[in-house]
Amino acid sequence: MADGLAEGGTAGTGTRDRATRSPGVFEQMSAVADAVLYEGYLLYPYRRSSAKNRVRWQFGVLFPRDWVEADGPVLPGVSGSADSWYQQTECLLRIPRPGGARARARVRVRVRCLQMQRKQVEDAGHRPVASLRTGDGTLHLTFDEAVPRDAEVEVPLDALLRDARTVDVDAPAGTDIEPLPGDAGRIVRSREDVRAETTVTAERLTDDLCRLRVRTVNTGPAPRPGAPREEALRRALIATHTLVGGDGVEFVSLIDPPDDLAGHARTCRNEFTFPVLGGLPGEPGHVLLSAPIILPDHPQVAPESPGDLHDAAEIDEILTLRTMLLTDEEKREARATDPRAAAILDRVDTMPQEVFERLHGAVRSLTPAAPAPTLPAERPAWWQEGGDAGLSPSTDTVLAGGVPLGRGSRVRLRPRGRGADAQDMFLAGRTAEVAAVFHDVDGSVHLAVTLDDDPAAELHTWYGRFHYFRPDELEPLGHAGTPEEPSAPAPAAAQARHTTDSETPAAEAE
């Protein structure tokens, strides 16, 4: 039996109104967490008839185990776009003042997800229909909605070190009926029972360092054998993610851990999710967001953004302009599709000019300009004709660790821990071949590489699609064809220990 109230712990579950929540460390992450919760919920042009809105729920989906593993076990990895029956977060937390302070330290975990809700339109005879127009001209469409759910547990750290704590993450079944005007019909919103459990455990690594594990599992019964994904989704947790905070503890970045904790960070296994530090850069790590979408440490929603468009990979200004240009008929369909689509249209149609202008761009920070490179007097500036004369990406070389690298050189990728692109971090330790050396107009140099174990490497080379790294991010290995340094998709230590990609990027970057 799940015990979310054991020994000094508190737990709760269910839908909550944001206004009734007590302010706390999680609220500083609410905007980012909500963006994760509704990412891809409904995409431009926000119409039911759009092809992209017929295949939904792609992140953090936890199905009943028997259904998702009907054709074989799931393969663990940090990507939350893969369907699973569980989600596991492992992170490191420090106790700034060990000893008596540990007795007062507390850990707080909140698991959030969506529960699918079927919105079925019925005519006056209570027969299901795909659409219905009432006497006032309003269109109503059958569509799948979702209801936010969460569960929370707060436990003293000392209690966690002695025993695990488990809390139910249940979403009850239910039906709501909304009559339509003029007895034209009704809207029936129905939800199936969703059952899950979250278990929190802690392990002491040193006197002032612990490893925390949060594992959420769908424990509900599977749908009928062979049921399509659309049916199984009714018993799934959707967009599942976890907020972890506490009192008297600080969390460690797994993307860029301190040197003395890199080894411990390497042992953390995150499956179908990955934790990042919340708050602002430079602040103590008092909160973590573990999301099924790859994020950097300290993710933020741009203050210029007036509201969620459910597509964080797109640019607000572009989506806003395109939404403004929808035809009246398209807007009517979008409004009938989902209340969130209607809210987007209302916001876009009434957006003040000054708010729209802020979407055009912003400068977040300025760094000192690098000194201009010294060029031969006879070479014109880069913007003038002939400015790139003498540069040859296919034959130029650049020094890395005192070794000249150029086309054909073999290297091992070592992305910088701080400031590296999140996608580059997942290539740490892989071997590659240099395809070209490029000089930027600001004097910096980047090397274009292709991965040795990429089956499409030849195709990428043919049409010029490369990965780009600075010289200090590459470890020279030799020239192409060197036998004594075989290609390695990951560092040998990591390979011997765990062959899935569920390890932290920081582990591979060391």
Side-chain angles (χ1 to χ4, degrees), residues 263-341:
H264 290 301
R266 182 164 50 245
T267 64
C268 290
R269 293 181 59 177
N270 290 280
E271 298 178 350
F272 306 104
T273 186
F274 191 81
V276 297
L277 294 179
L280 298 175
E283 292 183 347
H286 292 311
V287 62
L288 277 179
L289 170 61
S290 186
I293 301 170
I294 296 174
L295 298 170
D297 278 336
H298 314 290
Q300 301 287 328
V301 172
E304 295 81 12
S305 179
D308 199 350
L309 296 169
H310 308 320
D311 190 355
E314 190 53 273
I315 299 172
D316 277 26
E317 183 184 33
I318 294 175
L319 277 182
T320 299
L321 283 170
R322 297 181 72 177
T323 303
M324 287 179 174
L325 295 176
L326 291 175
T327 65
D328 291 342
E329 183 59 34
E330 287 176 318
K331 289 183 178 181
R332 278 191 291 271
E333 183 186 346
R335 289 183 185 279
T337 296
D338 191 273
R340 288 187 167 271

Side-chain angles (χ1 to χ4, degrees), residues 77-266:
V78 296
S79 173
S81 61
D83 292 340
S84 177
W85 55 273
Y86 75 96
Q87 191 179 81
Q88 176 176 294
T89 297
E90 286 193 351
C91 59
L92 301 176
L93 60 85
R94 289 188 292 196
I95 308 165
R97 296 180 300 278
R102 188 171 63 214
R104 298 186 297 273
R106 300 181 67 85
V107 173
R108 183 181 173 197
V109 174
R110 180 183 294 170
V111 178
R112 307 173 77 227
C113 65
L114 294 175
Q115 176 190 19
M116 179 183 283
Q117 175 174 267
R118 178 66 174 171
K119 182 185 73 172
Q120 178 63 60
V121 178
E122 297 182 352
D123 62 17
H126 297 175
R127 292 180 295 269
V129 294
S131 63
L132 182 69
R133 193 179 299 274
T134 55
D136 59 1
T138 302
L139 179 65
H140 300 273
L141 299 176
T142 292
F143 196 64
D144 287 332
E145 302 173 335
V147 178
R149 303 291 187 185
D150 64 36
E152 192 168 308
V153 60
E154 183 175 344
V155 189
L157 179 58
D158 271 353
L160 274 182
L161 289 168
R162 293 193 300 268
D163 192 18
R165 293 292 181 267
T166 299
V167 59
D168 291 327
V169 191
D170 293 344
T175 301
D176 303 315
I177 298 177
E178 175 189 348
L180 294 177
D183 294 327
R186 64 182 188 174
I187 296 176
V188 179
R189 291 180 168 89
S190 60
R191 300 167 299 280
E192 292 192 19
D193 190 36
V194 177
R195 302 176 191 173
E197 292 180 351
T198 293
T199 300
V200 186
T201 58
E203 172 191 2
R204 184 185 294 115
L205 302 177
T206 66
D207 189 48
D208 63 345
L209 183 70
C210 299
R211 178 186 293 111
L212 188 72
R213 173 186 290 178
V214 182
R215 186 178 175 93
T216 299
V217 176
N218 188 321
T219 58
R224 60 182 175 84
R229 188 175 190 270
E230 292 72 18
E231 181 178 331
L233 280 165
R234 300 183 184 183
R235 300 185 184 180
L237 288 74
I238 300 170
T240 313
H241 60 282
T242 305
L243 289 162
V244 187
D247 299 322
V249 298
E250 291 183 6
F251 296 95
V252 176
S253 169
L254 297 187
I255 294 177
D256 185 21
D259 291 342
D260 60 327
L261 299 181
H264 290 301
R266 182 164 50 245

